[in-house]
Amino acid sequence: MRDSVAAAAAAVTELVDDRASDWDRAGRLPEDVVRKLGAAGQLAPQMPAEYGGPGWSSADSGEFTAHVGSLCGSLRSVMTSQGMAAWTVERLGDPEQAADLLPRLASGDTAAVAFSEPGAGSDLSAIEATVTVEGDTLSLSGRKKWVTAADYADFFLVVARMGEEGAVVVVPRSAPGVRVRRVADPLGCRAAGHADILLDEVRLPLGSLLGGGLQPLSLLVTTALAYGRISVAWGCVGILRACVAAAVEHAGTRHQFGRPLGRHQLVARHLADLWTAEQIATRACEYASRCWDENAADLVTAVVLAKYVSAEHAAKGAAAAVQVLASAGAQDGHVVARAYRDAKLMEIIEGSTEMCQLMLADHALSLR
């Protein structure tokens, strides 16, 4: 398995090359890049082999995600979206739905998971999108906000209310009543295809309900978010690795006052803290992936911890990298400038820093 991960990492390095900054400034990933990785199954590398996916472990998928994240945060974000969609179908769909949708996601089709709404961010219990059943069809209405990769998606998995319960609805982008509006000039991951989705009485076959619907809303949310959080966490490891590489290269080659910049104690402190941050985030992610692969009892806590630790360290580490590079890294298009913006976004998405802190505090209190 390690050989296939290394081969995939080498291929994506060649595919991205030095174009990530151009993609970031343009706010768009090339369609052929997204489709090529999708067709190789590398946008959702944990998808089971029986459906055409690579079937990698969480550990192998995580290392690959970190590598992609070190090259291009926007591309990694699309990976997270695709992986969340595949995981949601795998966990919640019936066998027929899995047999239909998962091979599509392993062969080039793309998908996005729509949770957030104007009035439902961290409090996803406030979701107002509704689905009603009328005979053998359903009607879906609502507005979803800031859906990652929605601008590239062939279909959406929309979380909505269904009476007193919840449901995930598979919505083709081409369905009448669906409108996609790209988010203009996002702070970070500018090319990740963030968009709002407007759903105006979208009528679909009853079979569009994953697993028949009528599941607890909390189950629907936590199922997809678990995958999203660990993917984001590994992506933050990638951000830190890119920042370490850039900061060490600059500090080791630029001279000030007669010696390399990195030999000045205050700059050396930044380098030490940055490398330490990458090591801490990596270990937290490795533990979370081990829990995932072993289906350990503390999986949920381990994933939240990894997301919290990695995102916080990525934001601080990217700021330190910009400080080390100074004006060289303070230019739009530079890898550490991009990391600085992308990392801040990682502290918000898939469970904000504050929400992670509350969940970890609840866990700590439960140990009494």
Side-chain angles (χ1 to χ4, degrees), residues 105-131:
L105 293 176
S107 59
D109 277 8
T110 51
V113 183
F115 288 114
S116 299
E117 298 179 2
S122 294
D123 182 14
L124 290 171
S125 66
I127 284 175
E128 294 183 350
T130 57
V131 55

Side-chain angles (χ1 to χ4, degrees), residues 14-50:
E14 183 177 356
L15 190 63
V16 175
D17 196 20
D18 60 353
R19 298 189 290 167
S21 292
D22 291 337
W23 298 344
D24 185 69
R25 283 192 289 260
R28 184 79 186 174
L29 296 171
E31 188 79 13
D32 65 305
V33 170
V34 176
R35 297 295 176 183
K36 185 171 184 178
L37 288 177
Q42 292 168 359
L43 291 181
Q46 285 180 241
M47 195 186 309
E50 65 186 281

Side-chain angles (χ1 to χ4, degrees), residues 244-266:
V244 169
V248 167
E249 172 66 20
H250 182 81
T253 56
R254 180 173 172 79
H255 286 67
Q256 293 284 280
F257 303 103
R259 55 179 172 169
L261 191 61
R263 295 302 177 186
H264 293 274
Q265 289 184 347
L266 294 180

